[in-house]
Amino acid sequence: MGKEPGLFDSALAQTLAYIHYLRESGEEFAPAAPKSEIPPAPGDDWTRLKNSVLGCVRCSELARTRKSVVFGSGNAKAKLMFIGEAPGFDEDQQGLPFVGKAGQLLTKIIEAMGLARQDVFIANVLKCRPPGNRNPLPEEIMNCKPYLLAQIGLIRPRVICALGNFAAQVLLQTDRTISQLRGKFYEFEGIKILPTYHPAYLLRNPADKKKVWEDMKLIMKELEA
Ligand code: SF4
């Protein structure tokens, strides 16, 4: 951390290297499909990535305590991605991101933008719930970030909305707070990132919903351009 936003020169390379790793690996990850002259279908890397994430035990405590791995949900060809911090209790129970109270608020925000959850892709930095909803540990973020980068690399959305401090700081490699970061776009390998408040924060601070709506209007304008 500590780097200014926008400096992501190696991120796409990391993503591509990771996808290559997934393709080549036959031990920790799902076995590679039989080699064929026929080019793989567009969804193959996605399926392989999903299988890898669903079987992941890199964070021993999280792998032991989770009920589900929450890969993410929505449209794998979405123009807009929402990325939060980590699954909570409800998400862990259901295996889906943003399905608790904060998730219901996110759904309302998405619908107010004229979209549906199926139009966007929703994910978290961590795919497994930290016990008691504690903050993710640095090593857990390091373990799981390649999966997120691989998701971004395969979806290639036009815009990413980073929800809350963790997502914004991990994606933008900065220690600046969400209050300092929100309200404008940052560039990441041709993808625009807009940080805004996490819906869970909005449940505690409803007065800031207005600021989030201002941010969503920026995203809508960008998607229309
Ligand atoms: S949080 Fe990510 S890296 Fe850690 S066990 Fe879950 S899927 Fe694997």
Side-chain angles (χ1 to χ4, degrees), residues 53 56-60 62-63 66 69 125-128 140 143-144 147:
V53 175
C56 179
V57 292
R58 285 181 183 181
C59 313
S60 52
L62 304 194
R66 73 190 178 206
V69 178
V125 174
L126 285 198
K127 312 305 185 199
C128 302
E140 293 165 350
N143 287 343
C144 215
Y147 292 135

Side-chain angles (χ1 to χ4, degrees), residues 1-8 172-176 186:
M1 300 249 186
K3 255 170 105 180
E4 281 298 304
L7 305 177
F8 284 90
L172 298 176
Q173 299 183 356
T174 181
D175 48 14
R176 292 166 69 196
Y186 301 83

Side-chain angles (χ1 to χ4, degrees), residues 119-140:
D119 296 324
V120 302
F121 194 82
I122 305 173
N124 285 298
V125 174
L126 285 198
K127 312 305 185 199
C128 302
R129 180 193 182 213
N133 294 347
R134 65 158 168 74
N135 286 341
L137 303 175
E139 59 267 31
E140 293 165 350

